[in-house]
Amino acid sequence: MNKADLTPRLYAFLAVLVLVALVWLYVREFPYFSNTIGIGKLVGVSLAAALLLGGGILWFWKAHFKPWERHLPQVLFILLFCPLFAPLLASLLNRSAGATTYMKFEFIAETPFFSSNYGLLKGEKIRPTGYFLAVRDGGRGYRFRYKQQAYYPLTKPGETILLPVQTGLLGFQLVLLY
């Protein structure tokens, strides 16, 4: 084998490693998605920005992609890859910096949940694997998810609670419950 044969294989191997790393980061980011206030808007803005970025890349290098028929896989890769990983980048960027404060919320409920990848074994005792915290802030209801112990077992609905909230770099708030 000569050097010319190894170069495409090396690039393919590195591309697979990058893709696996990005998917791993996405999976690690899911708990932060569920505790971000306004996650729908964050995802929508990031998707719009990614589509503009992908379109800008294609427009900037339009001479390179002619004829379009020959470069259709590259064009589709750019148009699909940018929006696919844009929410991940936006969430990482949002929580990379910001000040943490405590905000008041009206407590609604804290409910345990059970999840298991492989189901229950016969005779296994069911214990909660996480909790949902339902709160209200100014008429808007939120539901946050965490996997530690129950934080508010004695709190009654309607009482005021304080939650640690980080206002991120992009202005979206993240409730710091893990």
Side-chain angles (χ1 to χ4, degrees):
M1 279 189 148
N2 59 15
K3 186 176 179 181
D5 291 337
L6 289 177
T7 303
R9 289 182 181 179
L10 179 64
Y11 286 146
F13 180 71
L14 290 176
V16 168
L17 282 180
V18 167
L19 183 64
V20 167
L22 285 172
V23 169
W24 178 77
L25 277 173
Y26 234 132
V27 170
R28 302 277 299 166
E29 199 68 17
F30 284 154
Y32 300 107
F33 284 149
S34 64
N35 287 354
T36 300
I37 297 174
I39 188 65
K41 186 176 179 182
L42 178 68
V43 169
V45 168
S46 68
L47 288 176
L51 286 173
L52 286 174
L53 176 68
I57 289 170
L58 292 177
W59 184 81
F60 185 72
W61 283 319
K62 62 185 170 193
H64 172 75
F65 292 116
K66 288 188 180 175
W68 287 101
E69 296 82 28
R70 284 189 57 211
H71 297 283
L72 192 59
Q74 290 98 349
V75 170
L76 289 176
F77 176 76
I78 290 170
L79 288 178
L80 292 176
F81 191 80
C82 288
L84 185 63
F85 291 101
L88 171 66
L89 179 64
S91 180
L92 288 171
L93 190 61
N94 183 56
R95 66 183 187 91
S96 64
T100 302
T101 58
Y102 284 88
M103 287 181 57
K104 292 181 180 182
F105 291 92
E106 179 186 343
F107 179 81
I108 297 173
E110 182 178 48
T111 56
F113 67 88
F114 173 78
S115 68
S116 174
N117 293 337
Y118 306 108
L120 287 173
L121 297 175
K122 186 175 181 180
E124 181 180 4
K125 184 178 177 185
I126 298 176
R127 293 191 340 248
T129 55
Y131 296 88
F132 289 117
L133 177 64
V135 295
R136 187 176 298 128
D137 179 32
R140 293 199 64 178
Y142 300 105
R143 188 172 107 174
F144 305 118
R145 181 180 184 156
Y146 52 93
K147 292 194 175 211
Q148 298 293 328
Q149 78 279 357
Y151 286 115
Y152 303 100
L154 302 177
T155 307
K156 293 177 179 39
E159 291 184 15
T160 301
I161 60 172
L162 291 174
L163 295 176
V165 177
Q166 176 187 5
T167 303
L169 187 64
L170 300 177
F172 293 92
Q173 296 175 326
L174 173 69
V175 176
L176 302 174
L177 294 173
Y178 304 110

